[in-house]
Amino acid sequence: KKHTLQKNTKIINISKKKPQTFIMRTDVVTVTPWLSPVVWEGTFNAELLDSIYLQKNISIAATVFAVGKYTMFLKDFLLTAQQHFFVGFHVHMYVFTDRPSEVPTVPLRANWKLFVRMVPNSRRWQIISARRMEIIQTLIEDELMNQTDYIFCLDVDSRFHGRWGSESLGALVAVIHPGQEFTYDRSRFPYERHASSSAFIASGQGDFYYCGGAFGGNVQEVLQLTTTCRRNYEADAAKGIEAAWQEESHLNRYMWINKPTKVLSPEYLWQDFKAWEPEIRLVRFSGVVKNYAAIRPN
Ligand code: UD2
């Protein structure tokens, strides 16, 4: 039977090179055991991916929280995001803060919108960090569902250094933590180890250690993730339990059970105080060095 193209199909023929059949990267894992891609520099064609996703006219929401003194990180975060984060796409950036007057005015690219939303402060940084799940859940339910395609949730004490674009899109997207994966066996990962917590992962279980500072996916999947992590965090709190790394522990448990459909390498959240490992060809987004004692409420 002869296969014919649909009348209006556009053939995307940007790439001058044939896709490689055998070798892309040999020094890193580029696919998980459950067959999700692991994204590293050198494994994708950015121009080709952009041409596919630009045709779909998608929109991307991003959330960033700047509570208390963390507003000091907003300027660099927003300025560098303009240079590197989904350039050419519709981006809606949601800034959650208790100090709206400290949100800097930065010139926005075409197709960018910035929304500033009030959130309460808290006596404990752990609660500020963990409560993000609840607030993102509410944002999706009230505003983003059926309006926005994808969402990424990012730590504010960070800067972009390189492209973060359409290669990162997927239904459920997690980022491998830069601090754990290069050195530790999973028995040493800082998962929540108490069976009484709903974030529990036993020794010998778990896949990667993912970071709480960056995750995303389509709005439906991220709604599931945030709803579950919030529910589990609150169920623990009712029993007087707080997981080892707050919502990051709950996120790790969620991602272990609901495997991410795309995994981003630590290029997508490095830490400025760490030297680059040989496998890191490009740092795209990185946590700045901060003085915890000076900026946290406690
Ligand atoms: C790690 C995670 C973070 C979170 C935390 C555990 C990375 C790189 N970071 O970072 O995402 O999972 O462990 O709870 O994976 N914030 C404020 N004001 C505050 C305190 C926090 O706005 O006073 C917000 C801010 O957006 C910040 C985020 O919460 O980026 C996480 O807090 P953090 O950066 O102090 O946590 P950290 O470095 O331990």
Side-chain angles (χ1 to χ4, degrees), residues 8-289:
N8 295 325
T9 304
K10 284 188 196 161
I11 300 171
I12 297 154
N13 195 17
I14 298 274
S15 180
K16 294 184 184 64
K17 285 190 201 150
K18 174 194 176 297
Q20 285 174 280
T21 315
F22 299 109
I23 298 167
M24 292 187 87
R25 293 269 308 246
T26 55
D27 56 341
V28 289
V29 164
T30 58
V31 63
T32 66
W34 58 92
L35 297 180
S36 292
V38 186
V39 183
W40 297 87
E41 180 66 0
T43 63
F44 61 89
N45 180 327
E47 210 184 343
L48 173 64
L49 279 162
D50 280 353
S51 80
I52 294 169
Y53 283 100
L54 281 168
Q55 284 190 56
K56 296 180 193 279
N57 201 26
I58 57 167
S59 59
I60 295 122
T63 62
V64 67
F65 287 70
V67 177
K69 293 183 185 162
Y70 278 57
T71 50
M72 67 187 282
F73 300 114
L74 272 173
K75 191 167 184 194
D76 272 359
F77 176 92
L78 291 172
L79 282 173
T80 57
Q82 299 282 303
Q83 290 160 20
H84 300 294
F85 187 70
F86 283 98
V87 174
F89 287 83
H90 294 277
V91 176
H92 294 177
M93 178 67 71
Y94 290 85
V95 175
F96 291 93
T97 185
D98 59 332
R99 301 181 179 184
S101 62
E102 292 180 18
V103 177
T105 308
V106 296
L108 296 179
R109 276 183 175 277
N111 300 332
W112 263 70
K113 284 198 183 122
L114 188 111
F115 304 91
V116 180
R117 296 289 156 83
M118 281 290 283
V119 283
N121 202 335
S122 168
R123 278 181 303 110
R124 297 180 64 235
W125 69 265
Q126 294 90 338
I127 293 179
I128 298 172
S129 184
R131 207 187 272 150
R132 292 183 293 178
M133 290 293 183
E134 172 196 337
I135 294 166
I136 297 163
Q137 176 196 345
T138 308
L139 174 74
I140 298 175
E141 284 172 347
D142 291 355
E143 296 181 52
L144 303 187
M145 211 54 173
N146 307 319
Q147 303 293 327
T148 307
D149 298 294
Y150 295 96
I151 179 168
F152 286 93
C153 310
L154 305 169
D155 268 11
V156 72
D157 51 317
S158 335
R159 302 171 57 121
F160 292 85
H161 303 272
R163 175 194 162 96
W164 179 324
S166 55
E167 75 284 355
S168 67
L169 294 173
L172 181 64
V173 182
V175 181
I176 295 177
H177 196 291
Q180 306 297 332
E181 215 52 57
F182 285 94
T183 39
Y184 295 162
D185 180 79
R186 70 176 166 184
S187 65
R188 293 183 59 196
F189 283 167
Y191 293 142
E192 171 52 47
R193 300 300 190 180
H194 293 97
S196 50
S197 168
S198 49
F200 174 59
I201 299 184
S203 176
Q205 295 182 330
D207 300 312
F208 303 100
Y209 190 83
Y210 304 109
C211 58
F215 60 89
N218 68 36
V219 289
Q220 295 84 356
E221 289 286 338
V222 178
L223 179 59
Q224 286 296 318
L225 161 81
T226 50
T227 307
T228 306
C229 291
R230 176 222 180 148
R231 194 175 51 228
N232 291 346
Y233 179 84
E234 289 177 357
D236 275 13
K239 293 191 281 179
I241 299 170
E242 187 174 76
W245 286 98
Q246 296 80 39
E247 85 299 340
E248 184 174 88
S249 303
H250 289 279
L251 176 114
N252 270 281
R253 163 92 186 190
Y254 186 90
M255 293 288 185
W256 174 51
I257 295 170
N258 307 275
K259 306 293 190 210
T261 62
K262 189 166 277 187
V263 174
L264 305 181
S265 70
E267 295 168 4
Y268 289 82
L269 188 36
W270 197 248
Q271 285 163 334
D272 282 356
F273 66 83
K274 279 173 71 72
W276 292 21
E277 300 286 344
E279 294 80 6
I280 299 293
R281 294 187 186 170
L282 171 69
V283 167
R284 303 166 189 281
F285 185 58
S286 178
V288 301
V289 177

